[in-house]
Amino acid sequence: MSRAARASIDLDAIRHNYRLAKSQAPAARAAAIIKAGAYGHGAVAVAGALKAEADAFGVACIEEAIELRDAGIEQPVVLLEGFFEADELEYIARHNLWTAIHSPHQVEALARAQLPAPVNVWLKMDSGMHRLGIEPENLRATYDRLRSLGQVAEITLMSHFACADELDLETTRQQIACFDRAVEGIDAPHSLSNSPATLAWPEAHRDWLRPGLMLYGATPFLVEQEQAARLEAAMTLTSEIIAIHDLQPGDAVGYGAGFVCERPSRIATVAMGYGDGYPRHAANGTPVVVNGQRTVTAGRVSMDMMTIDITDIPGAGIGDRVELWGKQLPVSEVAVHCSTIPYTLLTCLTPRVPRVYE
Ligand SMILES: *Cc1c(COP(=O)(O)O)cnc(C)c1O
């Protein structure tokens, strides 16, 4: 009846993963990070699934927060990069958005603003990533300045890790030590932990977790990790076989003749391509699952189609279901074959792929 490409979203899995995050640090609260359309899963749907239990939500910008408020989501929403323009502050104050403050220019904009109510601030310190945040030596003075402003209600101290997914590096411990030195003596809640820190760095848990990727059931680690092994995949990306070709050794497949058969081969064409967000740089040999059995891609991914080797799946035929990632095939594993990370695979899924909620 129609093209079969779709992303099934298991909202129970997202609730399970949120609870797993909270169980790592039972005394902490957790802001469920649902920026970039909840990493491709649909921000309003995911917020709806978590609205009975999430302590807050986190997004990248006010446009994403407005989408949640317009959909009736009432939790606090943290703007992880804060406001970009001072004229956002009015809406922020009216709608209980919490704003990161990462730069002196934001402090001064806040000091000049006339607001209907004071706003909660997450003061971000640069503990070594050098992307956003106040320098450690200026943290105390910035905190004191914010504290003195009538425009500011509660202040949470935050920082972000550069390498929390790399379990044997010292970087995360150094960032924690840098943060702790700079905030010593300040009585305010802390928020340090993204998904890898939530799963693997208990000393970083503190008062507010910020799990993103793990909510969607993808591991941030390249190695096995005990807590990450308990995650449940939320998105299953599938399509169908729409053509089959029996080829001989030497026959080439797809654009650029990117795959050449080395044996008599059955090559199946699947209705899924980079126009859907499946990465064009998936190497030959990237895993896929056909009728519950693993096989691999063969040939370059094109815009609307891709080709896979079904030689060793004798029963496979037209209309059979192909899983590109999901319950049977971790997106993090697919990412390795695409020289990327699960974050990009999930967020780059295009609107052409219908999201179907279970
Ligand atoms: C995106 C983001 C997170 C979530 O990171 P994950 O690795 O997806 O868990 C946490 N904190 C900040 C500041 C972010 O921008």
Side-chain angles (χ1 to χ4, degrees):
M1 189 189 111
S2 61
R3 189 167 183 262
R6 71 194 63 248
S8 305
I9 313 288
D10 178 352
L11 296 172
D12 282 334
I14 293 175
R15 279 186 286 264
H16 164 87
N17 297 329
Y18 181 79
R19 288 172 198 153
L20 181 66
K22 292 268 292 200
S23 75
Q24 306 298 304
R29 287 180 283 176
I33 306 302
I34 56 170
K35 60 192 176 185
Y39 296 44
H41 296 66
V44 168
V46 171
L50 290 175
K51 77 175 172 194
E53 52 195 304
D55 301 306
F57 292 108
V59 299
C61 55
I62 197 166
E63 290 79 1
E64 294 181 340
I66 290 171
E67 187 190 5
L68 298 177
R69 286 289 179 262
D70 286 351
I73 300 297
E74 292 175 348
Q75 264 95 348
V77 177
V78 186
L79 303 177
L80 295 167
E81 292 155 47
F83 54 93
F84 298 84
E85 305 280 350
D87 62 8
E88 298 169 33
L89 282 164
E90 164 87 19
Y91 186 97
I92 287 171
R94 269 194 204 292
H95 292 88
N96 194 26
L97 306 186
W98 299 358
T99 180
I101 295 281
H102 60 75
S103 294
H105 75 267
Q106 291 176 317
V107 179
E108 294 320 310
L110 198 48
R112 283 191 302 269
Q114 303 229 331
L115 300 180
V119 297
N120 284 359
V121 162
W122 283 31
L123 175 57
K124 185 164 189 174
M125 191 192 101
D126 177 12
S127 56
M129 187 165 175
H130 302 137
R131 189 180 61 174
L132 286 185
I134 305 286
E135 292 77 25
E137 56 273 25
N138 297 329
L139 198 271
R140 177 84 221 195
T142 309
Y143 175 83
D144 289 342
R145 170 102 172 103
L146 287 170
R147 198 56 299 154
S148 74
L149 298 179
Q151 292 91 338
V152 174
E154 290 163 26
I155 303 176
T156 297
L157 303 171
M158 76 183 289
S159 196
H160 196 59
F161 295 129
C163 307
D165 56 324
E166 300 195 58
L167 300 174
D168 32 339
L169 290 187
E170 278 304 307
T171 320
T172 300
R173 251 176 233 112
Q174 288 161 357
Q175 285 196 255
I176 294 171
C178 172
F179 177 82
D180 284 341
R181 274 193 305 275
V183 306
E184 203 188 330
I186 301 179
D187 180 20
H190 297 174
S191 177
L192 299 177
S193 290
N194 55 3
S195 295
T198 298
L199 292 164
W201 297 94
E203 60 270 52
H205 285 162
R206 310 296 166 102
D207 305 289
W208 274 98
L209 307 172
R210 304 193 307 267
L213 184 74
M214 68 173 289
L215 298 178
Y216 311 104
T219 177
F221 305 112
L222 287 172
V223 295
E224 286 280 317
Q225 203 268 348
E226 190 189 341
Q227 295 307 315
R230 301 168 60 195
L231 294 169
E232 289 177 11
M235 179 193 291
T236 300
L237 180 66
T238 58
S239 191
E240 281 178 6
I241 294 175
I242 60 169
I244 293 176
H245 293 274
D246 288 301
L247 302 179
Q248 296 309 313
D251 286 345
V253 178
Y255 283 121
F259 177 81
V260 179
C261 299
E262 288 177 356
R263 58 174 182 166
S265 301
R266 287 206 104 187
I267 300 295
T269 303
V270 180
M272 173 67 62
Y274 63 78
D276 301 296
Y278 189 92
R280 181 177 176 279
H281 41 282
N284 284 329
T286 300
V288 299
V289 175
V290 180
N291 297 339
Q293 235 179 295
R294 279 203 181 204
T295 182
V296 294
T297 60
R300 265 188 212 162
V301 174
S302 45
M303 188 182 293
D304 313 307
M305 290 171 274
M306 56 190 283
T307 39
I308 64 174
D309 187 342
I310 56 166
T311 313
D312 300 321
I313 308 181
I318 303 286
D320 283 359
R321 184 174 189 265
V322 180
E323 178 174 320
L324 290 318
W325 62 67
K327 300 276 184 210
Q328 303 175 85
L329 175 59
V331 65
S332 300
E333 183 182 338
V334 175
V336 171
H337 291 268
C338 304
S339 310
T340 188
I341 52 176
Y343 298 78
T344 66
L345 297 186
L346 296 173
T347 55
C348 291
L349 206 66
T350 69
R352 185 166 78 181
V353 179
R355 272 61 162 182
V356 180
Y357 295 95
E358 293 160 15

